[in-house]
Amino acid sequence: MNKAKTSAEKSVSANSRTLSLLSQLEKINVSSVLGESDNARHVTSKILHLVQSQEKTRKEIISKGSTGIEVILSTLENTRDLQTILNILNILIEVVSVGGGRRASVLVTKGGTQILLQLLLTASKDSPPNEELMMLLHTLLAKIGPKDKKIGMKARINGVLNLSLNLVKQNLQNHRLVLPCLQVLRVYSTNSVNAVSLGKNGVVELLFKIIGPFSKRNTSLMKVALDTLAALLKSKTNARRAVDRGYVQVLLTIYVDWHRHDSRHRYMLIRKGVLQCIKSITNIKLGRKAFLDANGMKILYNTSQECLAVRTLDPLVNTSSLIMRKCFPKNRLPLPTIKSAFHFQLPVIPASGPVAQLYSLPPDVDDVVDESDDNDDAETETEIETEIDDDKDQHFKNDDIETDINKLKPRQELGRPMEELKMYEQFFPELSENFQELDLVSKEPKPFIPDANLSGPIVVPTASEEHTAEANPSTKEVALKECSPSLTEEYNRRPVSLELPKQDNMKNSSLHQQNDQRNMLPSYQCLSQEIVKGLDRISLQNSAKNDQYYGTGCVVKKESKDNLTTLACSKSCDHVSPCGGSLFEGSSVQLGKLCCTGVDSEEEGDSRSSSSGEHVMLQVSDVSPVHDCDLYLEMVKSTKSIPDYSEVAYPDYFGHIPPPFKEPILERPYGVQRTKICQDIERLIYQNDIIDRVVYDLDNLSCSVPEEADVLKFNSKFESGNLRKVIQIRKNEYDLILNSDINSNHYHQWFYFEVSGMKTGISYRFNIINCEKSNSQFNYGMQPLMYSVQEALRSRPCWTRVGTDICYYKNHFSRSSIAAGGQKGKSYYTITFTVTFQHKDDVCYFAYHYPYTYSTLKMHLKKLESMHNPQQIYFRQDVLCETLAGNSCPLVTITAMPESNYYEHICQFRNRPYIFLSARVHPGETNASWVMKGTLEYLMSNSPNAQCLRESYIFKIIPMLNPDGVINGNHRCSLSGEDLNRQWQNPNPDLHPTIYHAKGLLQYLASIKRLPLVYCDYHGHSRKKNVFMYGCSVKETMWHTSVNAASCNLTEDPGYRALPKILSQTAPAFCMGSCSFVVEKSKESTARVVVWREIGVQRSYTMESTLCGCDQGKYKRGQ
């Protein structure tokens, strides 16, 4: 207790003593009496003693409300006594040495920088200048300089810029003085004007006298000198001077010397300092050339490889990799043009914009030429393993927020005369239908309630209401069918010849019986290793393999003569040619390669029995009641593509089921990106090891496919396919180039292609080298999708996530300024992944995301139309318009049939509010179509919630706004070469017919006072997790900007938050935290904003679904 009192008393006395001393010092400043210098010296000496011994004194001087700093600085400014000045400088050094940068910032705000610079100028006039004073001044300036952004300009204005440089020149051997001087020069050099000025006075040459080969002496001085040199070399002028004097070779020699001698890695900071100098000097073209001429690539490659074994040397490896990536010669893409390989002549050429620019280019312009070497901007990446999350804690840029209150306020504008909008009346027959000719279920009207179900809540099914699926895919099918009996009833009414199992049989079967039957199935074996390139005939046979879901089987017929495997058919197909190449009359459509190769060793016994030519059943589960292989082929016949595709991809023909296992986010191995980049750098260093052979090329149709057994074969000539060129780099490594969107020269991200001719046990590396987005989910655990035909024929038709060593990074290929919209040096990005195939000579398909073709949509709509109960569900499919290529754009109407044809029920039917949904405006966002497919199937199901929705609302749905883009494998645009979701303000009926007429439908509803309650456009997001929505709110937009602060008084119905809030409470994948209701200038012509602003729909949304899993809820960490 006594000790505590003593300590408290000491503290009080110390504080009061400090205050007393500062008070004395202040009085000395006020009185300019002779002899006061001794008092000042005595008082500052006592303050220095307290500051050196007690942290509380330092805090007292710098604390908020204290005048201590002002008093000390005032004394420093006014005194002429050397010892007093030295005391004060030591006091300030002690104060700012601890406590982080906050104390230094306080000193700067009190005018400390200016006082110190003035003192430096005064002290320099002494001959010779006092060494102790100069050392303390520079030490203090070096500490506070980084906190003063204008210190460089202040030093230049005060004329002290070259004082520190001259001190170094005159005292080169006095390391005690040179060290703080160099630290100040480093601070000055952050100002580019200062760096140039110092460079003209020989600072670069001076520093090269200080740095040198390995030595254990003066390492701290060497480190500071290197840091100062690196800062100075960021100036292009200084960098050129260093190149002209041959310093690039000198730096490489110094680095190698330190690398060899620093065997215990004690001087890693010095080695990194040398690398930082090289990094700065290679920011210019001359520096990169000098680096390459000095064999810098090989030197840094070899030294970094030797450092890989020591984890603490990673900073050296990372910096070396950055330098090598930067100096790697920028290459043009190996293409004749970066415009799409497919050409479509537009009916109208836009007056301005990128498409107009594309059409105005002379035919001889080389739009692939590399111009990036003219870009001398500094490297912006910090560390090779640092991944920039563009979307982290920021949905938008502040300068993109709309701040004009007049533009923000919704204003309902028809935009077109009513006479013209009457053309859309034909798409709303439900508003005039009287149903008098139909025999409806109920004839007794219930009491008519005018407001019944007109404004009921939007009911969203929760995850708990869904049937839980077992690990086996068959049980998942049971759950689907039990949820949708209306679908299964029609499905079970198929022709008896198919002998499909009925619902009751499905319920009685057990998993045990299923496994027994699977074990009894005959196996199969193919006598040839060749892939069947076409089907003679196609058959859907009944399957006894699994009674829990519908089965289809393909019968394999073995031909002993020529060892070819063909698919036999149990029903006649007159339209199939004997050769198996053409499936349709007048339309040559081939099924993609089917694979029937050797089986596993345990099945060999059964396979031998099939060699006599007898039929062998291949059991393949049907994926869904709404997938029909034959119907899909029929739909393909009427699909029009620009390349005039004649093949059908096997996954699209056959469909797929979810894999019977969870697919978690892939954990990324440490250093994988660095390893991949090193392998890319090896291409330059060891050029003789590179094969560089083209194995697939859409620009050269005569490109011969190598027949060698160790070369993979590629194909993308099918609907939604995208792969333009493939180059074999090494024996098992391939560079893949994607095709641009038609009538565009960019938008490369979506891929969908076929690979065959593989061997097992070999790791194949695939590099897609012309991606454009700056980041991707591939850096955060996403894997590409693969569909194996061999697995499908083994009853596992699944798209599965595959690949290891996956990363996404900037590469050495660059876009021309023409392609980059006038910007130079725009680099492409690489998606790289490694795959080991399970089956020899398999046929596999790879895709960016689960493919969903236009033909698949038509098939699904056809099945839904044929399978619904017309007594209960009002389902109508119209053609909204034709696309540029002549494909139809479907418009679907779904609601409940009226309870009877009595007036009251017909009135209730006609007065239901509209819900307007659309999807797939961006072809590469295939997940939007899968969400739409789930929406359609749910609305057509017998679920009580679905029935409630149908009875409450009329759903108008455009499931695919961009059919042409989907068909031709585009990522973002339609055939017009434009993003259709940026055309809603002024759509052109000739260039953007689907948008023009979709907007016309909404304008018509507005004109007849039937505004939709909700408009929602389905999208996919490539960089964010979860499902979330973007909406529109004036208030929330204004809250994010300081402009028009008075707008907070605006009254706004918060109903726009209702639907996202409901979804966040009921859907595990939905994330309310990712939702935004801000209106950005860059989004003013999107569907969401135009429908809100011009049509007047308050609840107008874009719903984004992730391409790769969730980071919350029950689906967390899954893909």
Side-chain angles (χ1 to χ4, degrees):
M1 187 69 179
N2 293 333
K3 286 183 179 180
K5 284 184 178 180
T6 304
S7 176
E9 288 171 0
K10 283 184 177 180
S11 175
V12 172
S13 63
N15 288 341
S16 59
R17 190 176 177 192
T18 304
L19 293 173
S20 173
L21 290 170
L22 288 171
S23 178
Q24 292 178 41
L25 192 60
E26 188 175 11
K27 290 178 181 178
I28 294 171
N29 289 338
V30 174
S31 62
S32 55
V33 182
L34 289 173
E36 288 296 336
S37 59
D38 290 339
N39 291 337
R41 191 182 311 138
H42 176 71
V43 171
T44 53
S45 177
K46 287 186 175 182
I47 295 174
L48 176 60
H49 175 73
L50 287 174
V51 166
Q52 289 174 335
S53 59
Q54 296 180 4
E55 167 62 16
K56 290 185 178 179
T57 302
R58 295 193 287 268
K59 287 183 179 179
E60 178 72 19
I61 292 174
I62 208 78
S63 64
K64 191 175 181 181
S66 170
T67 60
I69 288 292
E70 288 95 330
V71 171
I72 291 171
L73 287 176
S74 176
T75 306
L76 181 64
E77 188 176 17
N78 297 321
T79 187
R80 294 293 178 266
D81 181 68
L82 177 61
Q83 188 58 49
T84 302
I85 293 173
L86 294 177
N87 288 343
I88 291 175
L89 290 177
N90 278 307
I91 290 170
L92 294 175
I93 290 171
E94 289 290 337
V95 167
V96 301
S97 292
V98 293
R102 189 188 66 82
R103 295 183 180 180
S105 299
V106 171
L107 196 57
V108 170
T109 56
K110 303 294 184 182
T113 306
Q114 184 67 29
I115 293 171
L116 291 174
L117 291 174
Q118 282 292 333
L119 182 59
L120 179 61
L121 182 63
T122 303
S124 67
K125 294 177 182 178
D126 297 338
S127 183
N130 184 283
E131 180 181 324
E132 184 72 15
L133 175 60
M134 285 298 181
M135 189 192 69
L136 291 176
L137 272 172
H138 281 88
T139 301
L140 187 55
L141 281 169
K143 288 181 179 296
I144 71 170
K147 293 298 177 181
D148 190 345
K149 295 180 180 179
K150 296 183 179 180
I151 187 171
M153 184 185 68
K154 292 176 182 177
R156 192 168 62 251
I157 292 173
N158 284 279
V160 300
L161 192 59
N162 291 314
L163 292 181
S164 303
L165 177 59
N166 293 331
L167 273 175
V168 176
K169 289 179 179 179
Q170 296 163 9
N171 300 274
L172 206 53
Q173 302 305 316
N174 187 348
H175 298 160
R176 185 167 173 265
L177 178 59
V178 168
L179 184 64
C181 289
L182 289 179
Q183 291 173 330
V184 171
L185 287 175
R186 181 180 59 189
V187 173
Y188 290 166
S189 301
T190 55
N191 182 292
S192 58
V193 177
N194 289 352
V196 173
S197 177
L198 290 168
K200 289 178 180 178
N201 287 301
V203 67
V204 175
E205 293 82 357
L206 178 65
L207 288 171
F208 272 96
K209 292 180 182 179
I210 299 174
I211 64 175
F214 177 80
S215 173
K216 294 183 180 180
R217 298 176 59 188
N218 303 317
T219 54
S220 58
L221 181 64
M222 176 81 168
K223 172 67 176 65
V224 174
L226 286 169
D227 291 345
T228 306
L229 182 60
L232 286 162
L233 290 175
K234 289 181 180 179
S235 159
K236 295 178 185 179
T237 305
N238 291 338
R240 291 191 192 99
R241 181 176 285 105
V243 172
D244 292 341
R245 285 161 174 72
Y247 289 149
V248 175
Q249 179 69 63
V250 174
L251 286 169
L252 287 169
T253 304
I254 292 174
Y255 180 72
V256 171
D257 189 63
W258 280 87
H259 172 78
R260 288 175 179 170
H261 290 90
D262 185 23
S263 56
R264 296 190 178 181
H265 313 303
R266 293 178 177 176
Y267 306 108
M268 188 188 75
L269 292 179
I270 291 179
R271 292 158 67 181
K272 186 176 180 183
V274 179
L275 290 176
Q276 291 292 347
C277 293
I278 299 173
K279 183 178 173 219
S280 295
I281 210 170
T282 51
N283 281 337
I284 64 170
K285 184 178 180 180
L286 281 175
R288 294 192 288 271
K289 184 178 183 301
F291 177 82
L292 293 173
D293 293 343
N295 202 23
M297 292 290 281
K298 194 165 187 177
I299 290 172
L300 290 193
Y301 174 81
N302 291 335
T303 53
S304 62
Q305 292 299 302
E306 293 171 9
C307 293
L308 286 175
V310 184
R311 188 75 172 262
T312 55
L313 298 181
D314 277 356
L316 301 182
V317 179
N318 293 339
T319 309
S320 297
S321 298
L322 280 176
I323 295 169
M324 289 187 287
R325 288 177 69 187
K326 183 166 51 175
C327 295
F328 200 114
K330 294 294 183 182
N331 295 337
R332 54 186 288 163
L333 284 173
L335 295 172
T337 172
I338 56 174
K339 289 183 289 190
S340 175
F342 307 133
H343 177 70
F344 176 79
Q345 182 62 43
L346 293 176
V348 179
I349 308 300
S352 60
V355 180
Q357 182 184 2
L358 207 64
Y359 270 82
S360 65
L361 288 177
D364 57 339
V365 169
D366 185 357
D367 61 353
V368 195
V369 69
D370 165 45
E371 299 180 13
S372 63
D373 269 352
D374 294 330
N375 177 22
D376 292 338
D377 291 338
E379 179 70 42
T380 56
E381 297 176 72
T382 54
E383 294 293 341
I384 199 164
E385 289 291 334
T386 301
E387 296 151 354
I388 304 167
D389 190 352
D390 295 349
D391 301 302
K392 187 176 181 180
D393 297 329
Q394 185 176 359
H395 297 293
F396 42 78
K397 297 179 180 178
N398 260 343
D399 56 2
D400 191 32
I401 300 176
E402 180 58 74
T403 58
D404 188 339
I405 193 69
N406 295 319
K407 289 185 178 180
L408 279 175
K409 288 182 178 178
R411 56 186 189 282
Q412 191 170 333
E413 299 175 352
L414 291 182
R416 292 159 68 179
M418 188 60 197
E419 296 74 20
E420 186 179 333
L421 292 175
K422 278 187 175 295
M423 65 182 286
Y424 298 106
E425 187 177 358
Q426 61 178 311
F427 298 109
F428 298 91
E430 64 274 8
L431 297 180
S432 56
E433 180 68 66
N434 56 24
F435 300 99
Q436 295 304 311
E437 297 178 358
L438 295 180
D439 184 19
L440 295 177
V441 176
S442 171
K443 286 292 183 182
E444 294 299 326
K446 296 178 182 178
F448 177 64
I449 305 173
D451 294 331
N453 291 326
L454 293 186
S455 58
I458 300 174
V459 182
V460 181
T462 63
S464 61
E465 294 172 338
E466 301 171 359
H467 291 269
T468 57
E470 299 291 333
N472 194 293
S474 63
T475 57
K476 294 186 178 182
E477 292 297 322
V478 174
L480 175 62
K481 293 178 175 66
E482 288 176 352
C483 289
S484 307
S486 65
L487 300 182
T488 59
E489 288 172 8
E490 178 63 27
Y491 202 78
N492 289 335
R493 288 200 294 271
R494 284 183 167 190
V496 181
S497 60
L498 294 180
E499 300 180 12
L500 294 172
K502 302 300 180 183
Q503 186 78 17
D504 55 349
N505 293 332
M506 290 164 54
K507 291 180 179 177
N508 293 332
S509 63
S510 66
L511 188 61
H512 178 72
Q513 291 171 329
Q514 171 193 343
N515 292 334
D516 289 344
Q517 290 175 4
R518 179 181 290 116
N519 294 332
M520 295 170 61
L521 287 174
S523 58
Y524 63 96
Q525 184 179 25
C526 179
L527 300 178
S528 170
Q529 300 299 322
E530 293 293 322
I531 303 299
V532 178
K533 297 189 176 181
L535 288 180
D536 277 347
R537 288 172 290 178
I538 300 172
S539 169
L540 300 180
Q541 298 279 354
N542 66 304
S543 169
K545 173 183 177 182
N546 191 339
D547 286 338
Q548 289 194 357
Y549 53 79
Y550 305 121
T552 57
C554 297
V555 178
V556 177
K557 182 178 180 180
K558 302 297 176 71
E559 300 290 349
S560 56
K561 284 187 178 181
D562 54 6
N563 290 339
L564 291 179
T565 305
T566 59
L567 296 183
C569 180
S570 63
K571 56 184 179 182
S572 62
C573 301
D574 297 335
H575 57 273
V576 180
S577 65
C579 66
S582 175
L583 295 174
F584 310 115
E585 292 180 358
S587 176
S588 177
V589 180
Q590 295 178 343
L591 188 63
K593 300 174 183 177
L594 288 180
C595 177
C596 302
T597 60
V599 294
D600 298 334
S601 57
E602 63 266 23
E603 296 176 274
E604 287 180 359
D606 292 331
S607 346
R608 293 192 197 97
S609 63
S610 66
S611 61
S612 60
E614 60 193 24
H615 290 189
V616 180
M617 184 72 66
L618 301 186
Q619 302 300 332
V620 190
S621 62
D622 195 2
V623 296
S624 165
V626 293
H627 191 94
D628 186 308
C629 303
D630 291 336
L631 182 58
Y632 182 81
L633 294 178
E634 288 297 319
M635 296 298 102
V636 171
K637 290 200 307 186
S638 59
T639 298
K640 300 172 184 177
S641 62
I642 303 307
D644 197 18
Y645 290 131
S646 60
E647 296 182 40
V648 176
Y650 193 86
D652 301 325
Y653 159 75
F654 198 76
H656 65 97
I657 59 175
F661 47 82
K662 291 184 178 180
E663 296 180 298
I665 292 288
L666 182 70
E667 293 295 331
R668 177 167 167 162
Y670 179 81
V672 62
Q673 180 171 311
R674 186 175 63 196
T675 302
K676 295 298 181 182
I677 291 171
C678 284
Q679 292 174 4
D680 290 349
I681 292 169
E682 289 172 2
R683 300 187 189 189
L684 182 67
I685 300 174
Y686 306 110
Q687 296 184 18
N688 293 333
D689 296 342
I690 303 304
I691 298 174
D692 197 27
R693 173 169 52 187
V694 178
V695 296
Y696 181 75
D697 192 357
L698 286 182
D699 294 292
N700 181 16
L701 298 178
S702 62
C703 174
S704 59
V705 180
E707 294 299 331
E708 301 170 27
D710 58 347
V711 178
L712 294 179
K713 298 171 181 60
F714 295 82
N715 181 35
S716 64
K717 299 170 186 174
F718 46 80
E719 186 176 348
S720 294
N722 190 320
L723 181 63
R724 181 171 185 169
K725 190 172 186 176
V726 180
I727 303 170
Q728 186 182 18
I729 301 300
R730 299 181 179 94
K731 184 177 180 181
N732 300 313
E733 181 179 355
Y734 297 84
D735 278 359
L736 283 61
I737 301 175
L738 304 179
N739 195 22
S740 300
D741 286 5
I742 295 176
N743 276 314
S744 171
N745 57 15
H746 52 140
Y747 298 117
H748 315 97
Q749 207 78 17
W750 166 256
F751 59 85
Y752 183 21
F753 57 88
E754 173 191 287
V755 179
S756 60
M758 65 284 291
K759 294 181 178 179
T760 57
I762 294 176
S763 296
Y764 294 92
R765 178 181 171 184
F766 300 96
N767 311 307
I768 301 175
I769 63 173
N770 64 330
C771 299
E772 293 182 351
K773 291 192 174 183
S774 60
N775 208 350
S776 169
Q777 285 288 342
F778 285 113
N779 273 337
Y780 305 99
M782 177 172 156
Q783 296 171 279
L785 286 153
M786 189 185 82
Y787 186 103
S788 165
V789 174
Q790 281 275 27
E791 287 294 298
L793 296 176
R794 285 169 165 80
S795 304
R796 295 184 290 270
C798 304
W799 281 101
T800 54
R801 301 281 184 175
V802 298
T804 57
D805 296 343
I806 300 171
C807 50
Y808 185 95
Y809 57 90
K810 186 185 292 186
N811 60 34
H812 58 275
F813 294 101
S814 63
R815 286 174 274 179
S816 69
S817 60
I818 296 172
Q823 303 176 47
K824 296 179 181 179
K826 282 284 187 177
S827 294
Y828 287 107
Y829 290 77
T830 292
I831 299 172
T832 181
F833 55 93
T834 301
V835 176
T836 302
F837 297 98
Q838 296 182 12
H839 306 287
K840 182 182 178 183
D841 293 327
D842 196 355
V843 175
C844 294
Y845 294 81
F846 289 92
Y848 182 60
H849 198 67
Y850 301 94
Y852 190 101
T853 65
Y854 172 69
S855 299
T856 300
L857 171 68
K858 292 193 296 182
M859 175 196 66
H860 285 161
L861 294 179
K862 202 80 172 175
K863 292 297 294 181
L864 287 173
E865 186 172 15
S866 65
M867 295 162 70
H868 82 283
N869 184 349
Q871 294 285 329
Q872 296 179 358
I873 301 176
Y874 180 95
F875 179 93
R876 179 183 173 90
Q877 183 182 169
D878 295 291
V879 175
L880 176 62
C881 62
E882 281 198 348
T883 64
L884 291 177
N887 294 292
S888 61
C889 178
L891 171 68
V892 176
T893 306
I894 300 175
T895 188
M897 292 292 285
E899 292 187 31
S900 74
N901 50 18
Y902 278 75
Y903 170 78
E904 292 86 347
H905 293 151
I906 299 298
C907 185
Q908 189 275 339
F909 173 88
R910 294 177 181 175
N911 283 282
R912 294 169 186 166
Y914 276 96
I915 304 288
F916 203 108
L917 307 176
S918 61
R920 205 69 184 280
V921 70
H922 295 145
E925 298 170 5
T926 57
N927 47 352
S929 281
W930 288 107
V931 175
M932 178 58 75
K933 176 180 180 288
T935 301
L936 289 168
E937 291 183 3
Y938 182 77
L939 289 175
M940 296 291 287
S941 72
N942 276 1
S943 161
N945 286 335
Q947 178 65 22
C948 178
L949 284 170
R950 290 194 300 266
E951 291 174 353
S952 302
Y953 307 105
I954 300 174
F955 291 87
K956 281 287 179 185
I957 302 173
I958 305 177
M960 192 172 284
L961 280 166
N962 192 352
D964 288 345
V966 172
I967 293 166
N968 294 286
N970 284 6
H971 176 69
R972 188 82 175 177
C973 303
S974 68
L975 293 186
S976 70
E978 297 168 299
D979 182 347
L980 290 184
N981 202 36
R982 296 297 185 276
Q983 309 303 323
W984 277 79
Q985 273 186 324
N986 297 295
N988 186 309
D990 297 317
L991 294 176
H992 326 116
T994 59
I995 304 302
Y996 181 82
H997 293 296
K999 186 176 181 181
L1001 291 176
L1002 290 159
Q1003 288 171 323
Y1004 174 76
L1005 285 174
S1007 70
I1008 62 172
K1009 311 301 181 188
R1010 293 295 301 273
L1011 273 181
L1013 178 67
V1014 171
Y1015 171 77
C1016 189
D1017 191 23
Y1018 293 6
H1019 284 254
H1021 205 288
S1022 64
R1023 287 179 284 185
K1024 279 190 170 184
K1025 303 285 189 186
N1026 311 311
V1027 180
F1028 53 94
M1029 279 180 160
Y1030 294 132
C1032 302
S1033 164
V1034 178
K1035 263 194 171 183
E1036 296 200 31
T1037 303
M1038 301 312 297
W1039 286 341
H1040 284 86
T1041 176
S1042 58
V1043 182
N1044 289 334
S1047 62
C1048 295
N1049 297 325
L1050 287 171
T1051 56
E1052 185 176 43
D1053 185 350
Y1056 62 87
R1057 278 184 166 267
L1059 182 56
K1061 191 68 175 176
I1062 293 170
L1063 288 171
S1064 69
Q1065 294 172 350
T1066 56
F1070 195 88
C1071 177
M1072 190 69 185
S1074 297
C1075 295
S1076 172
F1077 304 92
V1078 174
V1079 179
E1080 308 96 329
K1081 296 175 185 176
S1082 60
K1083 304 295 176 64
E1084 286 181 341
S1085 56
T1086 60
R1088 163 179 63 102
V1089 177
V1090 170
V1091 172
W1092 169 73
R1093 181 182 291 165
E1094 295 183 19
I1095 310 298
V1097 179
Q1098 183 197 23
R1099 297 175 180 85
S1100 179
Y1101 306 102
T1102 296
M1103 186 168 72
E1104 299 275 4
S1105 301
T1106 180
L1107 286 169
C1108 180
C1110 302
D1111 57 14
Q1112 61 166 38
K1114 64 182 290 187
Y1115 303 119
K1116 186 176 181 179
R1117 302 295 302 164
Q1119 293 190 71

